[in-house]
Each structure stands twice: as structure tokens, then as C-alpha cells.
Amino acid sequence: AAIEDAVSYSLTPAKAFAEAYKDSPVIYVMSSGATQKVAYSFSICLLMEMQWINSSAIHSDEFFNGPFEITEPDTAFLLLKSTGATRAVDERTLAFLGKFSEHTTVIDGFDYGMKELGEVSGYYDHSFYSEILGVYNHLLADRRQHPLSWRKYMWKYNY
């Protein structure tokens, strides 16, 4: 029920994301902990494969091992804020981005009711963020007028 409520609640912020990011040539997806695989999937499958937007999934702690040097005011970041044990790692990254990026979107499970799950919330981050990002993906595709089914190479060539 919490995930269903979150999906409904995410429509407004997902529309704002789609509008803000529709022309971004690159979107970096940041995360940590249980959200890392979701960020990876969103980056390579949804942004790169389905939307043809350059992307990379960056672990929030690894951000400070080099990737933070590409941060500019207009560099697009999407940060999936962990609700579990690695939340402080994401908060550190967000504090940096707050100083140097004007194009950062944060999806925080605590804003969507995950805090009510208490200390076990992190175990549900994967399922939770997967569903929320589905909303973001569809609205971005609609705003960009780039259907999710379009492919240049997949299913068209032997590879």
C-alpha cells in the first residue's frame, strides 16, 4: 500500500523532473546501499537504452573519488536518497551538490511514507524506487516525445 500511495504522490514531482530534464544531454543517477542497483538500471536501461540520454550511475560515496569534478551548475543529477544505513552517505553528496549544482533532483523515500516503516525501510528501497522511477521514466518519455519502445540497434541487428 505504501508503494501504491508513493506512485500516486510521485506524479507531480515526476512531471517537474520531466520538464526540467527533457533537454539534458547527460543525467547522472546517484545512490547508495539498496538503491544502487535501481540507479544502475535506471541509468543504463531507461535513460541510455530507452531515452538515448547519456548517463552513468554513481555511488554517492564514489562521487568524491573523482566524479564530483564534473559538477557544474547545469549538470543534471538525480539522487535516490537511501532510507537505510547509507542515508548519511547520500546526505553528504547532497550537501555538496547543493553548493555547486542547480540541476539536482532528489527522490527521498522518507517524503513518500517510507519513514513509517522504521529501521526496516532500507530493505524495501529497491522495490520502492523501482516503482517510483517507472513513473519518472514514462513522464520523461512523454515530455520528450520519445516512446520507450524506440530502439536504434536492439532487436534490429545481430550483436
Side-chain angles (χ1 to χ4, degrees):
I3 292 174
E4 289 174 8
D5 290 344
V7 166
S8 295
Y9 178 74
S10 70
L11 286 172
T12 298
K15 285 179 185 176
F17 172 86
E19 181 60 35
Y21 289 69
K22 69 181 182 343
D23 297 321
S24 295
V26 177
I27 301 173
Y28 296 106
V29 185
M30 312 266 301
S31 65
S32 66
T35 63
Q36 186 62 34
K37 296 297 182 187
V38 178
Y40 176 78
S41 177
F42 188 74
S43 176
I44 70 163
C45 295
L46 303 176
L47 293 177
M48 295 176 80
E49 175 188 324
M50 295 180 182
Q51 286 298 298
W52 308 344
I53 296 172
N54 288 312
S55 184
S56 182
I58 303 169
H59 190 285
S60 295
D61 237 3
E62 291 295 319
F63 181 60
F64 297 102
N65 287 334
F68 72 125
E69 290 293 340
I70 53 87
T71 305
E72 297 290 339
D74 63 343
T75 305
F77 291 98
L78 173 63
L79 186 127
L80 310 179
K81 196 169 184 183
S82 172
T83 67
T86 60
R87 186 171 177 85
V89 171
D90 294 329
E91 288 173 343
R92 176 181 177 223
T93 299
L94 186 56
F96 180 88
L97 291 173
K99 294 177 188 173
F100 301 104
S101 174
E102 297 168 5
H103 200 39
T104 299
T105 293
V106 178
I107 303 176
D108 185 348
F110 283 177
D111 293 339
Y112 292 84
M114 293 289 285
K115 192 169 192 168
E116 295 173 18
L117 297 177
E119 63 185 39
V120 299
S121 66
Y123 294 106
Y124 297 96
D125 275 353
H126 183 274
S127 299
F128 171 80
Y129 285 104
S130 292
E131 293 296 320
I132 295 295
L133 288 174
V135 176
Y136 278 68
N137 187 37
H138 286 284
L139 290 172
L140 181 63
D142 289 346
R143 185 63 186 97
R144 296 182 73 235
Q145 298 180 350
H146 186 113
L148 298 175
S149 60
W150 283 2
R151 299 294 187 278
K152 291 181 197 176
Y153 310 109
M154 189 177 281
W155 309 307
K156 297 180 181 191
Y157 299 96
N158 290 327
Y159 48 88

